[in-house]
Amino acid sequence: MNHAKPFNVIGRAHERRDGRGHVTGTTVYVDDIGFPRMCYLKMVRNPLVHARIRGIDFSEAEQVPGFVTALTARDVPKNVYTILCLIGVEPDDEPVLAEDRVRYRGEQIAAVVAETEAAAAEAAAKVRLDLEELPHVLDVEEALAPGAPVVTHWGTNHFVYEGHHCRRLRYGDAESARERADHVVSGRYQMSPIEHAPVETTGCVAKPEADGRVTVYTNTQAIYFSLDNTALILGLPPHRLHFVGGTVGGGFGGKVDVMVEPIAALAAMRTGRPVKYMYTRPEEMRISSTRSAARIYIRDGVMADGTIVSREVTTYHDAGAYSRHSPYGCTKHAANAAGPYTIPNVSVDVHCVYTNRQPSSAMRGFGVTEASFAVEMQMDRVARELDLDPWELRLHHAYRNGDERPYRKRTEDASLVEAIQAAATLAGVELAPELHAMSSNDRDWGAE
Amino acid sequence: MTLLRGRGMAAVNYPTGMNLGGDPTQALVHATTTGAFVITLSSVDLGQGLKTVLAQIGAETLGVPFDTVMVDTGDSDTGPHCMGTFASRATHRAGNAIIQAAEEARRAMLDVAAEELEAAPEDLDTDGEGNIVVAGVPDKRISVMDVALAAHFKQGRTISGRGLYMKPKSDLDPETGAMDPDSTEAHACTVADVEVDTETGQVRVLSLKSAYEIGKALNPALVEGQITGGAWMGMSHALYETTAPYYPALDHSPGDFNNYLMPGAAELPEIESTVLEMASANGPFGAKGVGEMTANSPIPAIANAVADAIGVQITDLPITPEKVLRALEQAEPAEVVL
Amino acid sequence: MTARAVSFELNGAPVAALARPLETLQSVLRDQLGMTGTKAGCRQGGCGSCTVRLDGEPVLACLVPVEHVEGHAVTTIEGLGSADALSPVQATFHERFAVQCGFCSPGMITIATALLERNPAPTRAEIAEALAGNVCRCTGIVPIVDAIEAAASRMREREGAPA
């Protein structure tokens, strides 16, 4: 590849390929897709928080004109969402349709299929649930305290990371360094759960084909991920499924949980008809995953001259009632929890905690957004307590090329120094000459 | 009514790719018989413009005009595997896969052209306008369309290529957390200026000024789209949005857009940015992922700006008027409370 | 529930639809009349993605019972322009990258078009107010305001007024 030539195509603001479709309303999204004899799936959901299911009565629902069928746990060949096992993380924990327990308000219990959307909604509303309420826990630290109601099926309210109760990072000796430090600066930072809130809700249309395959039109962010998970749940060889998508009305991480395709495909196979399953807006807001609420405690050991010699981070990541992608996200968070700074002693504990709340999962910045939020507020806290310039504090500690990160990887593409300098220039902030002279390649503020 | 001004900054990193790797993407490239090219893959466009930037990467590598490169994606029957669009991985992984596939297709194209022109392939180059020329001999040229026709109907060979990019899955040490989490890191720094109304507790973001280091801006307009969209979402995250207004309680969880607060057009700050390009060794044309980072640096910058304005840190997002008023109530006058 | 016929003008042509009582205009447009450019982002009047024009006035189709449009004129995004003949607002949205995922675009373009018809030279504040009921999650809204300003300017130029 001859990179010495000037670029012809890249580096230019070429117009969007799909722009004309978008502005004329002709781009096809999943909800725009329909087929003859298509029916609609609505989910019956847990109205309580934590409960045991004693019985489900469909007799009234079946009387609704247009009712086609209903599915419960026993209809699902492999009744567990498998999004983690495909990336080698165990155990899977969330049923496609609840079996004996429901663990969060809104959890799916039964799928009702009917000729029209209105009929499906009416029938779903007429399904009678016999539920026995169980004690629930909502706070991450309460969930880890002895005696808390147990959320998971394996008996602890935390994900087990290779025998540990949290994902851990240990670099140097943070505790000793903190004890020798001149100052200790501590903070508690709480990130709220937020919704992806794409303007297009999550959904799919599953269509059984004459050759026995099932085509699923979906707005998933990950075609094969969704296909493979659906195949596992349905007990089908993956090549029997045909997933079509690629056009999404906003994702932000909210359309990677594979929540709708398996049950819709199952319904299509059972009824022999196309089935559409689109989340309503209230479902998108209250049921679909959120960003996790993360409670982050940071404790820094700082010398009188402003050098941060130790950083201890304890994070309680609220996974909600089920794992979804949280165990993976906590590991990613652990790598980023100390921030883009060279600090010689770092200790990180990330607890993936289960509560009886709406499950959280991937969202734009997964694992890193909360780290950046907490670390940058903590840096300002250090600056305030020690009366340091916040710019100088960042620039001194910003990692350089050749520095070792706390996860023991040598840095090769550092550019934080330059980004900070450029932002200062843009904002009209005058940096002292020695700060202006810094670069990611200078290594003259090393940690070692 | 007192309006307090504050300024805050935040510096962040953002990793490209799925944590610990193991997230491959494949791409196929083939020429049509009339010299257009089709890139076939399964990567999903969420609106960020992936289909456009991947066509650019393909066109640049092949050396053909942008308009002649089609992207066919989102069908598992025709497109090879892609892990998905998340973790700021799509341009990086799919882009690299396309470069590999397009390089193979380009070599095949030049071989066919060489035979047609009776020249050596190493003396040939594309002009980026749909022709293949012999270096130093302007009359000796052939259109890409004629090359494609010759390949298929005369020489009986394909012009196509295959590519796959993967950062191999690595393990981490469960005791120390030692790991290789990402392919490359992008960086950003945001400076936020805010104004806090001490009577209502409302925070107005006056401006967000940011620098983003992203390796290479393959399509500057799409990058700017992420910067502006991310700035808005970051502002929303810091000050407006929540699914649990009284977290961890379930009360008052919004079920519609009327109750899920986000800033509207009237709340927009001045958004200024500068883009730095320090090429990544493993990114397509040096590009790093950008889609998630742009929402991250504004959040703490705004929170830090509020703290600067009112003299006390509110460390619980979103920073609502209620929280601001409580913080002002609890703060000793003219004293920083931590 | 007996369906009944509802007749109205759609994008300049007469149509008739068979509607259930109180079925929304959004549902009739999308499910019966093939006008899927009008989106269904929430069906609660909260997102604006179903904005259409009723006798020129912007309305949220998800909140309009179709009986109310009997004898009236409805314009959807399909009636504004086509891929080879974009309206000025459609053109500036495309040129200025005021679209990303595109899901809010029909609603945004519709409300912007209605705004510019009644106010050919809006200030940015007036544009912002007009967009208050339309959610965009991707663009950060600034490019949309810019595009509307640019469309206004282009339209005034064509009319011979100072840009």
Side-chain angles (χ1 to χ4, degrees):
Chain A
M1 262 297 356
N2 183 5
H3 283 292
K5 276 190 342 194
F7 294 120
N8 268 328
V9 184
I10 64 156
R12 299 221 186 138
H14 283 282
E15 66 170 44
R16 291 184 66 108
R17 282 293 168 83
D18 47 12
R20 278 171 197 270
H22 289 354
V23 301
T24 54
T26 53
T27 300
V28 177
Y29 301 87
V30 170
D31 197 28
D32 301 331
I33 294 172
F35 295 102
R37 302 188 68 235
M38 185 169 76
C39 32
Y40 297 79
L41 188 156
K42 288 289 174 191
M43 201 58 87
V44 178
R45 297 185 177 282
N46 171 28
L48 302 177
V49 182
H50 191 193
R52 188 167 291 125
I53 302 174
R54 300 237 248 205
I56 312 174
D57 177 2
F58 292 99
S59 53
E60 256 187 73
E62 286 163 358
Q63 301 308 311
V64 172
F67 175 89
V68 172
T69 192
L71 302 170
T72 60
R74 71 175 77 91
D75 296 306
V76 186
K78 180 177 167 162
N79 190 30
V80 63
Y81 282 112
T82 58
I83 57 177
L84 287 180
C85 77
L86 285 181
I87 57 170
V89 180
E90 300 274 345
D92 288 310
D93 60 348
E94 183 171 11
V96 176
L97 291 175
E99 292 179 358
D100 58 323
R101 264 168 84 178
V102 276
R103 294 174 167 87
Y104 71 99
R105 189 175 64 189
E107 181 171 352
Q108 57 277 0
I109 294 176
V112 170
V113 183
E115 303 273 351
T116 66
E117 205 175 340
E122 191 185 335
K126 288 184 169 164
V127 173
R128 290 173 172 280
L129 299 169
D130 182 7
L131 302 173
E132 177 199 328
E133 199 156 5
L134 298 171
H136 62 254
V137 61
L138 301 178
D139 181 88
V140 281
E141 289 180 89
E142 279 176 33
L144 294 180
V150 176
V151 180
T152 68
H153 68 73
W154 61 84
T156 64
N157 285 343
H158 59 264
F159 184 82
V160 180
Y161 286 100
E162 290 99 2
H164 291 290
H165 66 285
C166 61
R167 175 59 82 198
R168 35 184 281 153
L169 206 106
R170 296 285 185 271
Y171 188 73
D173 184 346
E175 196 179 325
S176 309
R178 185 207 345 122
E179 280 161 4
R180 291 192 314 266
D182 299 321
H183 300 274
V184 176
V185 179
S186 300
R188 172 198 190 272
Y189 307 97
Q190 176 74 60
M191 167 147 280
S192 172
I194 67 169
E195 226 299 297
H196 312 79
V199 188
E200 177 205 36
T201 64
T202 307
C204 68
V205 177
K207 178 167 173 284
E209 303 294 352
D211 61 3
R213 299 178 80 208
V214 181
T215 305
V216 181
Y217 300 87
T218 161
N219 53 31
T220 179
Q221 296 178 218
I223 300 261
Y224 274 92
F225 196 61
S226 299
L227 186 156
D228 291 342
N229 279 292
T230 301
L232 284 168
I233 289 166
L234 298 182
L236 287 179
H239 64 265
R240 298 281 297 281
L241 296 172
H242 177 195
F243 270 52
V244 180
T247 296
V248 181
F252 312 111
K255 291 170 176 163
V256 265
D257 288 326
V258 197
M259 295 297 293
V260 298
E261 296 93 337
I263 193 65
L266 182 66
M269 286 166 64
R270 288 293 156 91
T271 59
R273 296 169 65 166
V275 173
K276 176 176 278 191
Y277 178 20
M278 298 293 304
Y279 273 1
T280 62
R281 182 54 58 180
E283 283 177 313
E284 192 72 43
M285 289 275 179
R286 294 196 177 118
I287 308 305
S288 78
S289 323
T290 62
R291 184 193 295 293
S292 83
R295 186 173 302 160
I296 302 174
Y297 295 91
I298 304 183
R299 189 161 51 160
D300 289 346
V302 192
M303 304 308 282
D305 69 353
T307 311
I308 302 172
V309 292
S310 76
R311 173 160 284 171
E312 292 155 282
V313 182
T314 303
T315 298
Y316 299 97
H317 175 109
D318 187 349
Y322 293 105
S323 297
R324 305 234 172 124
H325 292 287
S326 289
Y328 154 88
C330 286
T331 303
K332 188 165 185 176
H333 174 71
N336 292 280
Y341 301 109
T342 295
I343 294 167
N345 301 282
V346 174
S347 163
V348 177
D349 279 350
V350 185
H351 301 83
C352 180
V353 185
Y354 297 87
T355 62
N356 292 110
R357 303 189 68 262
Q358 182 177 358
S360 64
S361 194
M363 181 169 177
R364 194 179 197 177
F366 195 26
V368 187
T369 306
E370 55 264 39
S372 299
F373 156 65
V375 166
E376 287 306 289
M377 288 209 84
Q378 173 75 2
M379 292 300 268
D380 256 28
R381 185 167 285 217
V382 169
R384 276 163 191 274
E385 280 200 24
L386 273 72
D387 198 27
L388 301 167
D389 172 49
W391 291 89
E392 190 173 343
L393 185 67
R394 264 72 163 202
L395 283 166
H396 272 301
H397 290 89
Y399 64 90
R400 294 348 197 222
N401 284 321
D403 286 354
E404 191 178 61
R405 308 291 292 119
Y407 42 85
R408 293 175 168 77
K409 180 179 177 179
R410 202 88 14 218
T411 305
E412 285 172 342
D413 46 15
S415 57
L416 189 68
V417 170
E418 288 76 10
I420 294 172
Q421 291 165 335
T425 303
L426 191 63
V429 172
E430 284 243 12
L431 297 177
E434 69 267 18
L435 300 182
H436 242 303
M438 286 178 171
S439 92
S440 290
N441 291 314
D442 63 16
R443 300 196 73 190
D444 59 314
W445 182 269
E448 247 82 37
Chain B
M1 164 183 91
T2 316
L3 296 174
L4 298 178
R5 289 237 171 157
R7 169 169 273 200
M9 59 85 76
V12 307
N13 66 300
Y14 203 83
T16 295
M18 201 164 149
N19 196 54
L20 301 181
D23 56 318
T25 292
Q26 282 191 46
L28 302 170
V29 172
H30 77 267
T32 67
T33 53
T34 52
F37 286 84
V38 182
I39 300 172
T40 309
L41 70 173
S42 300
S43 306
V44 177
D45 193 326
L46 308 180
Q48 80 277 49
L50 187 67
K51 292 175 195 171
T52 304
V53 77
L54 294 184
Q56 287 181 255
I57 291 170
E60 187 70 57
T61 309
L62 289 162
V64 301
F66 174 65
D67 293 339
T68 65
V69 177
M70 313 302 131
V71 172
D72 169 18
T73 190
D75 186 325
S76 65
D77 271 4
T78 56
H81 181 280
C82 170
M83 202 77 188
T85 300
F86 47 81
S88 299
R89 67 178 293 281
T91 300
H92 189 270
R93 272 65 165 132
N96 278 332
I98 288 168
I99 287 174
Q100 186 180 40
E103 280 176 344
E104 187 181 345
R106 179 185 161 88
R107 282 192 296 274
M109 178 175 71
L110 294 182
D111 282 348
V112 172
E115 203 173 301
E116 294 303 298
L117 293 174
E118 291 171 345
E122 53 271 20
D123 294 334
L124 300 183
D125 202 356
T126 47
D127 68 357
E129 288 166 27
N131 302 296
I132 293 162
V133 301
V134 180
V137 188
D139 303 336
K140 249 184 146 180
R141 61 199 355 240
I142 182 170
S143 70
V144 171
M145 177 154 90
D146 285 340
V147 170
L149 286 165
H152 192 78
F153 292 108
K154 191 166 136 203
Q155 296 185 25
R157 54 177 298 180
T158 59
I159 296 177
S160 60
R162 301 155 300 175
L164 186 151
Y165 185 85
M166 181 176 69
K167 179 179 152 64
K169 176 113 196 290
S170 60
D171 287 320
L172 54 56
D173 181 327
E175 301 309 312
T176 64
M179 65 175 124
D180 181 5
D182 55 68
S183 289
T184 185
E185 297 259 8
H187 301 92
C189 181
T190 295
V191 181
D193 287 305
V194 304
E195 190 176 76
V196 181
D197 183 329
T198 58
E199 207 169 290
T200 63
Q202 282 191 300
V203 176
R204 218 177 112 224
V205 181
L206 301 172
S207 80
L208 292 170
K209 296 180 166 71
S210 307
Y212 294 99
E213 193 289 298
I214 58 163
K216 177 84 190 155
L218 300 174
N219 183 320
L222 298 181
V223 170
E224 181 149 345
Q226 292 307 300
I227 290 173
T228 309
W232 174 86
M233 193 177 266
M235 180 171 115
S236 189
H237 202 341
L239 300 173
Y240 293 78
E241 301 182 38
T242 176
T243 55
Y246 299 99
Y247 178 79
L250 305 178
D251 308 61
H252 304 295
S253 73
D256 56 49
F257 280 114
N258 294 316
N259 291 309
Y260 191 77
L261 302 180
M262 296 183 293
E267 281 83 44
L268 297 174
E270 292 285 316
I271 297 172
E272 269 183 77
S273 63
T274 179
V275 173
L276 308 178
E277 296 178 310
M278 293 165 67
S280 156
N282 55 44
F285 300 101
K288 304 179 180 180
V290 67
E292 293 171 282
M293 180 169 73
T294 56
N296 283 2
S297 53
I299 298 169
I302 290 168
N304 285 339
V306 171
D308 184 52
I310 66 175
V312 57
Q313 277 196 333
I314 297 170
T315 58
D316 202 323
L317 296 186
I319 297 173
T320 59
E322 183 180 344
K323 289 178 187 166
V324 170
L325 292 175
R326 286 191 199 286
L328 288 169
E329 259 173 34
Q330 286 160 15
E332 300 293 330
E335 188 182 320
V336 172
V337 175
L338 292 163
Chain C
M1 286 197 291
T2 7
R4 76 173 194 93
V6 178
S7 305
F8 56 100
E9 188 185 281
L10 175 62
N11 295 329
V15 293
L18 211 57
R20 297 184 312 276
L22 295 180
E23 185 169 352
T24 65
L25 176 60
Q26 175 191 55
S27 166
V28 169
L29 286 171
R30 286 180 56 75
D31 299 338
Q32 279 194 56
L33 297 173
M35 297 289 127
T36 54
T38 301
K39 298 304 170 198
C42 74
R43 303 190 196 184
Q44 299 167 307
C47 74
S49 67
C50 68
T51 309
V52 299
R53 297 171 70 189
L54 179 57
D55 296 331
E57 286 305 303
V59 295
L60 297 172
C62 70
L63 297 180
V64 176
V66 70
E67 291 92 330
H68 287 204
V69 311
E70 172 91 53
H72 291 269
V74 174
T75 317
T76 66
I77 186 74
E78 289 88 349
L80 277 189
S82 60
D84 48 9
L86 298 177
S87 74
V89 177
Q90 287 172 317
T92 57
F93 265 63
H94 178 45
E95 291 157 16
R96 289 176 180 253
F97 295 87
V99 290
Q100 285 191 29
C101 83
F103 205 79
C104 77
S105 304
M108 287 283 185
I109 290 166
T110 301
I111 199 108
T113 305
L115 168 70
L116 296 183
E117 270 177 29
R118 72 169 185 274
N119 180 355
T123 61
R124 285 181 79 90
E126 285 167 332
I127 294 172
E129 194 178 325
L131 299 181
N134 288 65
V135 174
C136 174
R137 197 58 168 148
C138 300
T139 65
I141 310 171
V142 174
I144 292 176
V145 177
D146 290 346
I148 296 170
E149 244 186 358
S153 174
R154 185 176 298 185
M155 286 163 74
R156 289 195 307 273
E157 266 177 54
R158 288 191 192 168
E159 295 295 311

